[in-house]
mmCIF file of all heavy atoms in Angstrom:
data_model
loop_
_atom_site.group_PDB
_atom_site.id
_atom_site.type_symbol
_atom_site.label_atom_id
_atom_site.label_comp_id
_atom_site.label_asym_id
_atom_site.label_seq_id
_atom_site.Cartn_x
_atom_site.Cartn_y
_atom_site.Cartn_z
ATOM 1 N N SER A 256 -22.215 89.246 -87.463
ATOM 2 C CA SER A 256 -21.390 89.393 -88.738
ATOM 3 C C SER A 256 -21.217 90.865 -89.014
ATOM 4 O O SER A 256 -22.058 91.683 -88.707
ATOM 5 C CB SER A 256 -22.149 88.671 -89.955
ATOM 6 O OG SER A 256 -23.107 89.576 -90.530
ATOM 7 N N VAL A 257 -20.171 91.222 -89.588
ATOM 8 C CA VAL A 257 -19.779 92.608 -89.788
ATOM 9 C C VAL A 257 -20.784 93.326 -90.676
ATOM 10 O O VAL A 257 -21.163 94.452 -90.404
ATOM 11 C CB VAL A 257 -18.334 92.816 -90.251
ATOM 12 C CG1 VAL A 257 -18.138 92.464 -91.714
ATOM 13 C CG2 VAL A 257 -17.767 94.180 -90.014
ATOM 14 N N GLU A 258 -21.393 92.589 -91.666
ATOM 15 C CA GLU A 258 -22.352 93.197 -92.504
ATOM 16 C C GLU A 258 -23.652 93.490 -91.804
ATOM 17 O O GLU A 258 -24.134 94.654 -91.857
ATOM 18 C CB GLU A 258 -22.703 92.313 -93.773
ATOM 19 C CG GLU A 258 -21.671 92.213 -94.786
ATOM 20 C CD GLU A 258 -20.629 91.178 -94.459
ATOM 21 O OE1 GLU A 258 -20.830 90.321 -93.486
ATOM 22 O OE2 GLU A 258 -19.564 91.058 -95.185
ATOM 23 N N GLU A 259 -24.067 92.612 -91.008
ATOM 24 C CA GLU A 259 -25.322 92.820 -90.217
ATOM 25 C C GLU A 259 -25.152 93.966 -89.286
ATOM 26 O O GLU A 259 -25.936 94.919 -89.210
ATOM 27 C CB GLU A 259 -25.644 91.572 -89.413
ATOM 28 C CG GLU A 259 -26.546 90.547 -90.177
ATOM 29 C CD GLU A 259 -26.847 89.439 -89.312
ATOM 30 O OE1 GLU A 259 -26.219 89.167 -88.204
ATOM 31 O OE2 GLU A 259 -27.781 88.739 -89.771
ATOM 32 N N VAL A 260 -23.953 93.906 -88.478
ATOM 33 C CA VAL A 260 -23.871 94.926 -87.444
ATOM 34 C C VAL A 260 -23.671 96.329 -87.973
ATOM 35 O O VAL A 260 -24.250 97.271 -87.550
ATOM 36 C CB VAL A 260 -22.680 94.512 -86.525
ATOM 37 C CG1 VAL A 260 -22.361 95.671 -85.492
ATOM 38 C CG2 VAL A 260 -23.053 93.273 -85.719
ATOM 39 N N LEU A 261 -22.799 96.453 -88.987
ATOM 40 C CA LEU A 261 -22.542 97.757 -89.512
ATOM 41 C C LEU A 261 -23.529 98.270 -90.583
ATOM 42 O O LEU A 261 -23.743 99.480 -90.778
ATOM 43 C CB LEU A 261 -21.042 97.966 -90.091
ATOM 44 C CG LEU A 261 -20.037 97.697 -88.921
ATOM 45 C CD1 LEU A 261 -18.618 97.899 -89.452
ATOM 46 C CD2 LEU A 261 -20.361 98.576 -87.748
ATOM 47 N N ASP A 262 -24.113 97.383 -91.342
ATOM 48 C CA ASP A 262 -25.123 97.752 -92.346
ATOM 49 C C ASP A 262 -26.391 98.176 -91.591
ATOM 50 O O ASP A 262 -27.105 99.172 -92.065
ATOM 51 C CB ASP A 262 -25.430 96.760 -93.362
ATOM 52 C CG ASP A 262 -24.341 96.618 -94.445
ATOM 53 O OD1 ASP A 262 -23.495 97.458 -94.486
ATOM 54 O OD2 ASP A 262 -24.252 95.520 -95.081
ATOM 55 N N ASN A 263 -26.728 97.414 -90.547
ATOM 56 C CA ASN A 263 -27.956 97.703 -89.839
ATOM 57 C C ASN A 263 -27.757 97.591 -88.418
ATOM 58 O O ASN A 263 -28.202 96.631 -87.796
ATOM 59 C CB ASN A 263 -28.985 96.609 -90.392
ATOM 60 C CG ASN A 263 -30.249 96.812 -89.639
ATOM 61 O OD1 ASN A 263 -30.632 97.860 -89.177
ATOM 62 N ND2 ASN A 263 -30.957 95.682 -89.503
ATOM 63 N N PRO A 264 -27.037 98.585 -87.800
ATOM 64 C CA PRO A 264 -26.750 98.463 -86.390
ATOM 65 C C PRO A 264 -28.042 98.546 -85.568
ATOM 66 O O PRO A 264 -28.956 99.339 -85.763
ATOM 67 C CB PRO A 264 -25.838 99.649 -86.073
ATOM 68 C CG PRO A 264 -25.997 100.557 -87.265
ATOM 69 C CD PRO A 264 -26.549 99.813 -88.414
ATOM 70 N N LEU A 265 -28.164 97.672 -84.497
ATOM 71 C CA LEU A 265 -29.246 97.679 -83.631
ATOM 72 C C LEU A 265 -29.048 98.438 -82.309
ATOM 73 O O LEU A 265 -29.940 99.176 -81.866
ATOM 74 C CB LEU A 265 -29.623 96.270 -83.290
ATOM 75 C CG LEU A 265 -30.133 95.340 -84.419
ATOM 76 C CD1 LEU A 265 -30.393 93.949 -83.914
ATOM 77 C CD2 LEU A 265 -31.308 95.950 -85.085
ATOM 78 N N HIS A 266 -27.874 98.373 -81.747
ATOM 79 C CA HIS A 266 -27.612 99.017 -80.534
ATOM 80 C C HIS A 266 -27.426 100.524 -80.830
ATOM 81 O O HIS A 266 -26.689 100.974 -81.742
ATOM 82 C CB HIS A 266 -26.348 98.461 -79.912
ATOM 83 C CG HIS A 266 -26.182 98.807 -78.467
ATOM 84 N ND1 HIS A 266 -25.777 100.072 -78.047
ATOM 85 C CD2 HIS A 266 -26.455 98.096 -77.322
ATOM 86 C CE1 HIS A 266 -25.786 100.128 -76.711
ATOM 87 N NE2 HIS A 266 -26.178 98.890 -76.227
ATOM 88 N N PRO A 267 -28.084 101.416 -79.948
ATOM 89 C CA PRO A 267 -27.886 102.823 -80.216
ATOM 90 C C PRO A 267 -26.470 103.272 -80.210
ATOM 91 O O PRO A 267 -26.082 104.268 -80.957
ATOM 92 C CB PRO A 267 -28.655 103.445 -79.017
ATOM 93 C CG PRO A 267 -29.659 102.411 -78.656
ATOM 94 C CD PRO A 267 -29.073 101.112 -78.940
#
Side-chain angles (χ1 to χ4, degrees):
S256 84
V257 74
E258 286 86 9
E259 274 183 342
V260 171
L261 295 185
D262 285 344
N263 177 26
L265 295 179
H266 196 285

